PDB file of all heavy atoms in Angstrom:
ATOM      1  N   ARG A 112       2.173  12.895  -0.004  1.00 85.00           N
ATOM      2  CA  ARG A 112       0.950  12.085   0.018  1.00 85.00           C
ATOM      3  C   ARG A 112       0.415  11.817  -1.384  1.00 85.00           C
ATOM      4  O   ARG A 112      -0.546  11.073  -1.556  1.00 85.00           O
ATOM      5  CB  ARG A 112      -0.118  12.788   0.851  1.00 85.00           C
ATOM      6  CG  ARG A 112       0.249  12.918   2.321  1.00 85.00           C
ATOM      7  CD  ARG A 112      -0.972  13.332   3.114  1.00 85.00           C
ATOM      8  NE  ARG A 112      -0.642  13.766   4.459  1.00 85.00           N
ATOM      9  CZ  ARG A 112      -0.670  12.976   5.518  1.00 85.00           C
ATOM     10  NH1 ARG A 112      -0.994  11.712   5.395  1.00 85.00           N
ATOM     11  NH2 ARG A 112      -0.363  13.450   6.712  1.00 85.00           N
ATOM     12  N   ARG A 131      -4.114  -3.664 -13.894  1.00 92.00           N
ATOM     13  CA  ARG A 131      -3.278  -4.788 -13.442  1.00 92.00           C
ATOM     14  C   ARG A 131      -2.062  -4.971 -14.344  1.00 92.00           C
ATOM     15  O   ARG A 131      -0.967  -5.257 -13.873  1.00 92.00           O
ATOM     16  CB  ARG A 131      -4.090  -6.086 -13.445  1.00 92.00           C
ATOM     17  CG  ARG A 131      -4.993  -6.220 -12.255  1.00 92.00           C
ATOM     18  CD  ARG A 131      -5.229  -7.693 -11.882  1.00 92.00           C
ATOM     19  NE  ARG A 131      -6.178  -7.754 -10.785  1.00 92.00           N
ATOM     20  CZ  ARG A 131      -5.853  -7.526  -9.522  1.00 92.00           C
ATOM     21  NH1 ARG A 131      -4.607  -7.244  -9.191  1.00 92.00           N
ATOM     22  NH2 ARG A 131      -6.767  -7.576  -8.578  1.00 92.00           N
ATOM     23  N   VAL A 134       0.552  -2.227 -13.565  1.00 95.00           N
ATOM     24  CA  VAL A 134       1.170  -2.367 -12.246  1.00 95.00           C
ATOM     25  C   VAL A 134       2.024  -3.632 -12.168  1.00 95.00           C
ATOM     26  O   VAL A 134       3.137  -3.616 -11.627  1.00 95.00           O
ATOM     27  CB  VAL A 134       0.089  -2.343 -11.136  1.00 95.00           C
ATOM     28  CG1 VAL A 134       0.688  -2.671  -9.785  1.00 95.00           C
ATOM     29  CG2 VAL A 134      -0.591  -0.976 -11.108  1.00 95.00           C
ATOM     30  N   PHE A 138       6.054  -3.832 -11.375  1.00 97.00           N
ATOM     31  CA  PHE A 138       6.656  -4.621 -10.298  1.00 97.00           C
ATOM     32  C   PHE A 138       7.633  -5.655 -10.853  1.00 97.00           C
ATOM     33  O   PHE A 138       8.679  -5.916 -10.262  1.00 97.00           O
ATOM     34  CB  PHE A 138       5.578  -5.299  -9.444  1.00 97.00           C
ATOM     35  CG  PHE A 138       4.922  -4.365  -8.464  1.00 97.00           C
ATOM     36  CD1 PHE A 138       3.564  -4.443  -8.185  1.00 97.00           C
ATOM     37  CD2 PHE A 138       5.669  -3.398  -7.794  1.00 97.00           C
ATOM     38  CE1 PHE A 138       2.962  -3.581  -7.279  1.00 97.00           C
ATOM     39  CE2 PHE A 138       5.070  -2.532  -6.880  1.00 97.00           C
ATOM     40  CZ  PHE A 138       3.712  -2.622  -6.623  1.00 97.00           C
ATOM     41  N   GLU A 142      11.416  -5.612  -9.730  1.00 98.00           N
ATOM     42  CA  GLU A 142      11.951  -6.764  -9.007  1.00 98.00           C
ATOM     43  C   GLU A 142      13.137  -7.381  -9.755  1.00 98.00           C
ATOM     44  O   GLU A 142      14.131  -7.765  -9.128  1.00 98.00           O
ATOM     45  CB  GLU A 142      10.836  -7.801  -8.795  1.00 98.00           C
ATOM     46  CG  GLU A 142      11.242  -8.945  -7.882  1.00 98.00           C
ATOM     47  CD  GLU A 142      10.046  -9.780  -7.438  1.00 98.00           C
ATOM     48  OE1 GLU A 142       8.889  -9.347  -7.618  1.00 98.00           O
ATOM     49  OE2 GLU A 142      10.288 -10.876  -6.914  1.00 98.00           O
ATOM     50  N   ARG A 164      12.899  -9.454  -2.918  1.00 97.00           N
ATOM     51  CA  ARG A 164      11.506  -9.345  -2.461  1.00 97.00           C
ATOM     52  C   ARG A 164      11.421  -8.507  -1.196  1.00 97.00           C
ATOM     53  O   ARG A 164      10.526  -7.686  -1.044  1.00 97.00           O
ATOM     54  CB  ARG A 164      10.923 -10.732  -2.173  1.00 97.00           C
ATOM     55  CG  ARG A 164      10.319 -11.408  -3.377  1.00 97.00           C
ATOM     56  CD  ARG A 164       9.308 -12.490  -2.963  1.00 97.00           C
ATOM     57  NE  ARG A 164       9.927 -13.562  -2.188  1.00 97.00           N
ATOM     58  CZ  ARG A 164      10.466 -14.653  -2.740  1.00 97.00           C
ATOM     59  NH1 ARG A 164      10.471 -14.799  -4.042  1.00 97.00           N
ATOM     60  NH2 ARG A 164      10.988 -15.592  -1.977  1.00 97.00           N
ATOM     61  N   VAL A 165      12.374  -8.730  -0.282  1.00 97.00           N
ATOM     62  CA  VAL A 165      12.366  -7.985   0.985  1.00 97.00           C
ATOM     63  C   VAL A 165      12.576  -6.490   0.715  1.00 97.00           C
ATOM     64  O   VAL A 165      11.899  -5.640   1.302  1.00 97.00           O
ATOM     65  CB  VAL A 165      13.448  -8.528   1.948  1.00 97.00           C
ATOM     66  CG1 VAL A 165      13.583  -7.632   3.171  1.00 97.00           C
ATOM     67  CG2 VAL A 165      13.115  -9.959   2.364  1.00 97.00           C
ATOM     68  N   THR A 168       9.446  -4.999  -1.023  1.00 98.00           N
ATOM     69  CA  THR A 168       8.352  -4.906  -0.051  1.00 98.00           C
ATOM     70  C   THR A 168       8.593  -3.757   0.928  1.00 98.00           C
ATOM     71  O   THR A 168       7.649  -3.064   1.328  1.00 98.00           O
ATOM     72  CB  THR A 168       8.200  -6.240   0.710  1.00 98.00           C
ATOM     73  OG1 THR A 168       8.057  -7.297  -0.244  1.00 98.00           O
ATOM     74  CG2 THR A 168       6.992  -6.227   1.629  1.00 98.00           C
ATOM     75  N   GLN A 171       7.516  -0.612  -0.875  1.00 97.00           N
ATOM     76  CA  GLN A 171       6.054  -0.477  -0.989  1.00 97.00           C
ATOM     77  C   GLN A 171       5.432  -0.129   0.363  1.00 97.00           C
ATOM     78  O   GLN A 171       4.570   0.746   0.459  1.00 97.00           O
ATOM     79  CB  GLN A 171       5.435  -1.766  -1.536  1.00 97.00           C
ATOM     80  CG  GLN A 171       5.959  -2.184  -2.895  1.00 97.00           C
ATOM     81  CD  GLN A 171       5.984  -1.051  -3.900  1.00 97.00           C
ATOM     82  OE1 GLN A 171       5.029  -0.282  -3.982  1.00 97.00           O
ATOM     83  NE2 GLN A 171       7.066  -0.906  -4.628  1.00 97.00           N
ATOM     84  N   GLY A 172       5.869  -0.821   1.413  1.00 98.00           N
ATOM     85  CA  GLY A 172       5.319  -0.554   2.744  1.00 98.00           C
ATOM     86  C   GLY A 172       5.708   0.830   3.232  1.00 98.00           C
ATOM     87  O   GLY A 172       4.899   1.556   3.805  1.00 98.00           O
ATOM     88  N   GLY A 173       6.967   1.203   2.997  1.00 98.00           N
ATOM     89  CA  GLY A 173       7.441   2.509   3.428  1.00 98.00           C
ATOM     90  C   GLY A 173       6.710   3.648   2.738  1.00 98.00           C
ATOM     91  O   GLY A 173       6.368   4.656   3.371  1.00 98.00           O
ATOM     92  N   LEU A 175       3.662   3.424   1.399  1.00 94.00           N
ATOM     93  CA  LEU A 175       2.281   3.423   1.900  1.00 94.00           C
ATOM     94  C   LEU A 175       2.199   4.148   3.251  1.00 94.00           C
ATOM     95  O   LEU A 175       1.307   4.975   3.476  1.00 94.00           O
ATOM     96  CB  LEU A 175       1.785   1.992   2.041  1.00 94.00           C
ATOM     97  CG  LEU A 175       0.318   1.823   2.460  1.00 94.00           C
ATOM     98  CD1 LEU A 175      -0.320   0.665   1.709  1.00 94.00           C
ATOM     99  CD2 LEU A 175       0.175   1.605   3.956  1.00 94.00           C
ATOM    100  N   MET A 176       3.165   3.875   4.141  1.00 96.00           N
ATOM    101  CA  MET A 176       3.154   4.534   5.456  1.00 96.00           C
ATOM    102  C   MET A 176       3.442   6.026   5.318  1.00 96.00           C
ATOM    103  O   MET A 176       2.880   6.843   6.049  1.00 96.00           O
ATOM    104  CB  MET A 176       4.171   3.871   6.394  1.00 96.00           C
ATOM    105  CG  MET A 176       3.832   2.440   6.802  1.00 96.00           C
ATOM    106  SD  MET A 176       2.219   2.232   7.608  1.00 96.00           S
ATOM    107  CE  MET A 176       2.481   3.131   9.146  1.00 96.00           C
ATOM    108  N   THR A 179       0.329   7.647   4.146  1.00 90.00           N
ATOM    109  CA  THR A 179      -0.728   7.637   5.162  1.00 90.00           C
ATOM    110  C   THR A 179      -0.413   8.576   6.325  1.00 90.00           C
ATOM    111  O   THR A 179      -1.288   9.285   6.810  1.00 90.00           O
ATOM    112  CB  THR A 179      -0.912   6.209   5.721  1.00 90.00           C
ATOM    113  OG1 THR A 179      -1.063   5.310   4.622  1.00 90.00           O
ATOM    114  CG2 THR A 179      -2.145   6.128   6.602  1.00 90.00           C
ATOM    115  N   ALA A 184      10.050   8.146   8.226  1.00 97.00           N
ATOM    116  CA  ALA A 184      10.826   7.248   9.082  1.00 97.00           C
ATOM    117  C   ALA A 184      10.612   5.775   8.738  1.00 97.00           C
ATOM    118  O   ALA A 184      11.537   4.966   8.843  1.00 97.00           O
ATOM    119  CB  ALA A 184      10.486   7.501  10.554  1.00 97.00           C
ATOM    120  N   TYR A 185       9.375   5.423   8.333  1.00 97.00           N
ATOM    121  CA  TYR A 185       9.089   4.023   8.010  1.00 97.00           C
ATOM    122  C   TYR A 185       9.898   3.577   6.800  1.00 97.00           C
ATOM    123  O   TYR A 185      10.529   2.525   6.806  1.00 97.00           O
ATOM    124  CB  TYR A 185       7.596   3.826   7.748  1.00 97.00           C
ATOM    125  CG  TYR A 185       6.737   4.197   8.929  1.00 97.00           C
ATOM    126  CD1 TYR A 185       6.193   5.469   9.043  1.00 97.00           C
ATOM    127  CD2 TYR A 185       6.502   3.282   9.938  1.00 97.00           C
ATOM    128  CE1 TYR A 185       5.417   5.825  10.141  1.00 97.00           C
ATOM    129  CE2 TYR A 185       5.728   3.617  11.043  1.00 97.00           C
ATOM    130  CZ  TYR A 185       5.193   4.894  11.130  1.00 97.00           C
ATOM    131  OH  TYR A 185       4.444   5.240  12.216  1.00 97.00           O
ATOM    132  N   SER A 188      13.730   3.469   7.795  1.00 97.00           N
ATOM    133  CA  SER A 188      14.084   2.329   8.653  1.00 97.00           C
ATOM    134  C   SER A 188      13.953   1.007   7.895  1.00 97.00           C
ATOM    135  O   SER A 188      14.823   0.134   7.993  1.00 97.00           O
ATOM    136  CB  SER A 188      13.176   2.271   9.890  1.00 97.00           C
ATOM    137  OG  SER A 188      13.369   3.394  10.711  1.00 97.00           O
ATOM    138  N   ALA A 189      12.877   0.874   7.130  1.00 98.00           N
ATOM    139  CA  ALA A 189      12.627  -0.389   6.437  1.00 98.00           C
ATOM    140  C   ALA A 189      13.686  -0.626   5.357  1.00 98.00           C
ATOM    141  O   ALA A 189      14.176  -1.747   5.193  1.00 98.00           O
ATOM    142  CB  ALA A 189      11.228  -0.407   5.830  1.00 98.00           C
TER     143      ALA A 189
ATOM    144  N   ARG B 133      -7.110 -10.676  -2.393  1.00 85.00           N
ATOM    145  CA  ARG B 133      -7.072  -9.350  -2.998  1.00 85.00           C
ATOM    146  C   ARG B 133      -8.077  -8.400  -2.347  1.00 85.00           C
ATOM    147  O   ARG B 133      -8.091  -7.209  -2.654  1.00 85.00           O
ATOM    148  CB  ARG B 133      -7.358  -9.441  -4.494  1.00 85.00           C
ATOM    149  CG  ARG B 133      -6.306 -10.238  -5.275  1.00 85.00           C
ATOM    150  CD  ARG B 133      -6.479 -10.006  -6.772  1.00 85.00           C
ATOM    151  NE  ARG B 133      -5.699 -10.926  -7.569  1.00 85.00           N
ATOM    152  CZ  ARG B 133      -4.473 -10.647  -8.029  1.00 85.00           C
ATOM    153  NH1 ARG B 133      -3.902  -9.512  -7.748  1.00 85.00           N
ATOM    154  NH2 ARG B 133      -3.827 -11.536  -8.780  1.00 85.00           N
ATOM    155  N   ARG B 152      -8.821   9.406   7.585  1.00 92.00           N
ATOM    156  CA  ARG B 152      -7.492   9.578   8.190  1.00 92.00           C
ATOM    157  C   ARG B 152      -7.510   9.230   9.677  1.00 92.00           C
ATOM    158  O   ARG B 152      -6.591   8.604  10.189  1.00 92.00           O
ATOM    159  CB  ARG B 152      -7.018  11.030   8.029  1.00 92.00           C
ATOM    160  CG  ARG B 152      -6.463  11.320   6.662  1.00 92.00           C
ATOM    161  CD  ARG B 152      -5.423  12.427   6.696  1.00 92.00           C
ATOM    162  NE  ARG B 152      -5.001  12.717   5.336  1.00 92.00           N
ATOM    163  CZ  ARG B 152      -4.169  11.949   4.638  1.00 92.00           C
ATOM    164  NH1 ARG B 152      -3.653  10.865   5.167  1.00 92.00           N
ATOM    165  NH2 ARG B 152      -3.852  12.273   3.403  1.00 92.00           N
ATOM    166  N   VAL B 155      -7.659   5.405  10.106  1.00 95.00           N
ATOM    167  CA  VAL B 155      -6.431   4.717   9.689  1.00 95.00           C
ATOM    168  C   VAL B 155      -5.255   5.085  10.604  1.00 95.00           C
ATOM    169  O   VAL B 155      -4.472   4.219  11.003  1.00 95.00           O
ATOM    170  CB  VAL B 155      -6.111   5.035   8.210  1.00 95.00           C
ATOM    171  CG1 VAL B 155      -4.757   4.482   7.819  1.00 95.00           C
ATOM    172  CG2 VAL B 155      -7.192   4.444   7.310  1.00 95.00           C
ATOM    173  N   PHE B 159      -3.016   2.511  12.882  1.00 97.00           N
ATOM    174  CA  PHE B 159      -1.554   2.383  12.827  1.00 97.00           C
ATOM    175  C   PHE B 159      -0.908   2.706  14.173  1.00 97.00           C
ATOM    176  O   PHE B 159       0.066   2.066  14.563  1.00 97.00           O
ATOM    177  CB  PHE B 159      -0.980   3.287  11.725  1.00 97.00           C
ATOM    178  CG  PHE B 159      -1.147   2.713  10.342  1.00 97.00           C
ATOM    179  CD1 PHE B 159      -1.418   3.527   9.254  1.00 97.00           C
ATOM    180  CD2 PHE B 159      -1.016   1.351  10.119  1.00 97.00           C
ATOM    181  CE1 PHE B 159      -1.568   2.997   7.970  1.00 97.00           C
ATOM    182  CE2 PHE B 159      -1.166   0.802   8.845  1.00 97.00           C
ATOM    183  CZ  PHE B 159      -1.452   1.635   7.776  1.00 97.00           C
ATOM    184  N   GLU B 163       1.311  -0.011  15.995  1.00 98.00           N
ATOM    185  CA  GLU B 163       2.732   0.271  16.228  1.00 98.00           C
ATOM    186  C   GLU B 163       3.059   0.220  17.725  1.00 98.00           C
ATOM    187  O   GLU B 163       4.111  -0.297  18.111  1.00 98.00           O
ATOM    188  CB  GLU B 163       3.084   1.649  15.647  1.00 98.00           C
ATOM    189  CG  GLU B 163       4.571   1.938  15.651  1.00 98.00           C
ATOM    190  CD  GLU B 163       4.918   3.163  14.793  1.00 98.00           C
ATOM    191  OE1 GLU B 163       4.055   3.621  14.009  1.00 98.00           O
ATOM    192  OE2 GLU B 163       6.053   3.649  14.923  1.00 98.00           O
ATOM    193  N   GLU B 182      12.518   1.587  16.206  1.00 95.00           N
ATOM    194  CA  GLU B 182      12.954   1.329  14.836  1.00 95.00           C
ATOM    195  C   GLU B 182      12.545  -0.072  14.385  1.00 95.00           C
ATOM    196  O   GLU B 182      12.046  -0.269  13.278  1.00 95.00           O
ATOM    197  CB  GLU B 182      14.476   1.442  14.744  1.00 95.00           C
ATOM    198  CG  GLU B 182      14.963   2.657  13.989  1.00 95.00           C
ATOM    199  CD  GLU B 182      16.461   2.870  14.223  1.00 95.00           C
ATOM    200  OE1 GLU B 182      17.112   2.001  14.844  1.00 95.00           O
ATOM    201  OE2 GLU B 182      16.968   3.902  13.785  1.00 95.00           O
ATOM    202  N   ARG B 185       8.915  -0.193  13.623  1.00 97.00           N
ATOM    203  CA  ARG B 185       8.614   0.441  12.337  1.00 97.00           C
ATOM    204  C   ARG B 185       8.917  -0.504  11.182  1.00 97.00           C
ATOM    205  O   ARG B 185       8.165  -0.584  10.217  1.00 97.00           O
ATOM    206  CB  ARG B 185       9.442   1.727  12.176  1.00 97.00           C
ATOM    207  CG  ARG B 185       8.797   2.960  12.769  1.00 97.00           C
ATOM    208  CD  ARG B 185       9.346   4.226  12.132  1.00 97.00           C
ATOM    209  NE  ARG B 185      10.768   4.417  12.354  1.00 97.00           N
ATOM    210  CZ  ARG B 185      11.286   5.030  13.412  1.00 97.00           C
ATOM    211  NH1 ARG B 185      10.492   5.518  14.353  1.00 97.00           N
ATOM    212  NH2 ARG B 185      12.577   5.187  13.527  1.00 97.00           N
ATOM    213  N   VAL B 186      10.070  -1.188  11.289  1.00 97.00           N
ATOM    214  CA  VAL B 186      10.463  -2.110  10.213  1.00 97.00           C
ATOM    215  C   VAL B 186       9.439  -3.244  10.086  1.00 97.00           C
ATOM    216  O   VAL B 186       9.039  -3.617   8.976  1.00 97.00           O
ATOM    217  CB  VAL B 186      11.880  -2.676  10.478  1.00 97.00           C
ATOM    218  CG1 VAL B 186      12.216  -3.786   9.480  1.00 97.00           C
ATOM    219  CG2 VAL B 186      12.912  -1.560  10.407  1.00 97.00           C
ATOM    220  N   THR B 189       6.107  -1.880   8.666  1.00 98.00           N
ATOM    221  CA  THR B 189       6.279  -1.564   7.242  1.00 98.00           C
ATOM    222  C   THR B 189       6.334  -2.840   6.408  1.00 98.00           C
ATOM    223  O   THR B 189       5.805  -2.882   5.282  1.00 98.00           O
ATOM    224  CB  THR B 189       7.559  -0.724   7.042  1.00 98.00           C
ATOM    225  OG1 THR B 189       7.497   0.418   7.897  1.00 98.00           O
ATOM    226  CG2 THR B 189       7.681  -0.247   5.605  1.00 98.00           C
ATOM    227  N   GLN B 192       2.730  -3.916   5.914  1.00 97.00           N
ATOM    228  CA  GLN B 192       2.001  -3.076   4.953  1.00 97.00           C
ATOM    229  C   GLN B 192       2.466  -3.343   3.530  1.00 97.00           C
ATOM    230  O   GLN B 192       1.656  -3.459   2.612  1.00 97.00           O
ATOM    231  CB  GLN B 192       2.179  -1.579   5.281  1.00 97.00           C
ATOM    232  CG  GLN B 192       1.716  -1.190   6.677  1.00 97.00           C
ATOM    233  CD  GLN B 192       0.344  -1.715   7.016  1.00 97.00           C
ATOM    234  OE1 GLN B 192      -0.563  -1.646   6.197  1.00 97.00           O
ATOM    235  NE2 GLN B 192       0.194  -2.277   8.199  1.00 97.00           N
ATOM    236  N   GLY B 193       3.780  -3.431   3.332  1.00 98.00           N
ATOM    237  CA  GLY B 193       4.307  -3.689   1.995  1.00 98.00           C
ATOM    238  C   GLY B 193       3.936  -5.081   1.515  1.00 98.00           C
ATOM    239  O   GLY B 193       3.562  -5.279   0.354  1.00 98.00           O
ATOM    240  N   GLY B 194       4.038  -6.058   2.421  1.00 98.00           N
ATOM    241  CA  GLY B 194       3.724  -7.439   2.061  1.00 98.00           C
ATOM    242  C   GLY B 194       2.261  -7.601   1.669  1.00 98.00           C
ATOM    243  O   GLY B 194       1.933  -8.303   0.711  1.00 98.00           O
ATOM    244  N   LEU B 196       0.284  -5.157   0.558  1.00 94.00           N
ATOM    245  CA  LEU B 196       0.084  -4.457  -0.720  1.00 94.00           C
ATOM    246  C   LEU B 196       0.528  -5.340  -1.889  1.00 94.00           C
ATOM    247  O   LEU B 196      -0.170  -5.462  -2.900  1.00 94.00           O
ATOM    248  CB  LEU B 196       0.871  -3.144  -0.719  1.00 94.00           C
ATOM    249  CG  LEU B 196       0.665  -2.243  -1.941  1.00 94.00           C
ATOM    250  CD1 LEU B 196       0.629  -0.782  -1.516  1.00 94.00           C
ATOM    251  CD2 LEU B 196       1.745  -2.441  -2.981  1.00 94.00           C
ATOM    252  N   MET B 197       1.683  -5.993  -1.745  1.00 96.00           N
ATOM    253  CA  MET B 197       2.169  -6.861  -2.822  1.00 96.00           C
ATOM    254  C   MET B 197       1.257  -8.083  -2.996  1.00 96.00           C
ATOM    255  O   MET B 197       1.029  -8.545  -4.114  1.00 96.00           O
ATOM    256  CB  MET B 197       3.613  -7.295  -2.556  1.00 96.00           C
ATOM    257  CG  MET B 197       4.638  -6.174  -2.615  1.00 96.00           C
ATOM    258  SD  MET B 197       4.687  -5.275  -4.205  1.00 96.00           S
ATOM    259  CE  MET B 197       5.292  -6.555  -5.314  1.00 96.00           C
ATOM    260  N   THR B 200      -1.756  -6.991  -4.822  1.00 90.00           N
ATOM    261  CA  THR B 200      -1.467  -6.634  -6.215  1.00 90.00           C
ATOM    262  C   THR B 200      -1.133  -7.858  -7.060  1.00 90.00           C
ATOM    263  O   THR B 200      -1.577  -7.973  -8.198  1.00 90.00           O
ATOM    264  CB  THR B 200      -0.284  -5.649  -6.278  1.00 90.00           C
ATOM    265  OG1 THR B 200      -0.535  -4.577  -5.373  1.00 90.00           O
ATOM    266  CG2 THR B 200      -0.120  -5.088  -7.676  1.00 90.00           C
ATOM    267  N   ALA B 205       4.514 -14.581  -1.066  1.00 97.00           N
ATOM    268  CA  ALA B 205       5.965 -14.675  -0.836  1.00 97.00           C
ATOM    269  C   ALA B 205       6.551 -13.360  -0.315  1.00 97.00           C
ATOM    270  O   ALA B 205       7.482 -13.380   0.495  1.00 97.00           O
ATOM    271  CB  ALA B 205       6.675 -15.096  -2.119  1.00 97.00           C
ATOM    272  N   TYR B 206       6.005 -12.226  -0.764  1.00 97.00           N
ATOM    273  CA  TYR B 206       6.534 -10.928  -0.320  1.00 97.00           C
ATOM    274  C   TYR B 206       6.302 -10.741   1.172  1.00 97.00           C
ATOM    275  O   TYR B 206       7.202 -10.356   1.913  1.00 97.00           O
ATOM    276  CB  TYR B 206       5.888  -9.789  -1.110  1.00 97.00           C
ATOM    277  CG  TYR B 206       6.127  -9.885  -2.593  1.00 97.00           C
ATOM    278  CD1 TYR B 206       5.212 -10.512  -3.423  1.00 97.00           C
ATOM    279  CD2 TYR B 206       7.294  -9.383  -3.154  1.00 97.00           C
ATOM    280  CE1 TYR B 206       5.435 -10.626  -4.786  1.00 97.00           C
ATOM    281  CE2 TYR B 206       7.527  -9.486  -4.519  1.00 97.00           C
ATOM    282  CZ  TYR B 206       6.591 -10.109  -5.326  1.00 97.00           C
ATOM    283  OH  TYR B 206       6.830 -10.224  -6.669  1.00 97.00           O
ATOM    284  N   SER B 209       8.561 -13.326   3.131  1.00 97.00           N
ATOM    285  CA  SER B 209       9.986 -12.974   3.155  1.00 97.00           C
ATOM    286  C   SER B 209      10.233 -11.712   3.973  1.00 97.00           C
ATOM    287  O   SER B 209      11.187 -11.637   4.757  1.00 97.00           O
ATOM    288  CB  SER B 209      10.513 -12.752   1.732  1.00 97.00           C
ATOM    289  OG  SER B 209      10.448 -13.937   0.985  1.00 97.00           O
ATOM    290  N   ALA B 210       9.375 -10.700   3.783  1.00 98.00           N
ATOM    291  CA  ALA B 210       9.584  -9.426   4.469  1.00 98.00           C
ATOM    292  C   ALA B 210       9.405  -9.582   5.973  1.00 98.00           C
ATOM    293  O   ALA B 210      10.177  -9.022   6.765  1.00 98.00           O
ATOM    294  CB  ALA B 210       8.626  -8.368   3.927  1.00 98.00           C
TER     295      ALA B 210
END
Side-chain angles (χ1 to χ4, degrees):
Chain A
R112 295 193 193 266
R131 281 209 184 281
V134 172
F138 282 142
E142 188 167 347
R164 273 202 298 271
V165 172
T168 306
Q171 301 312 317
L175 184 141
M176 293 303 293
T179 309
Y185 300 94
S188 295
Chain B
R133 296 193 192 266
R152 280 208 184 284
V155 173
F159 282 143
E163 189 167 347
E182 251 167 7
R185 273 202 297 273
V186 172
T189 306
Q192 302 312 316
L196 185 142
M197 293 302 293
T200 309
Y206 300 94
S209 296

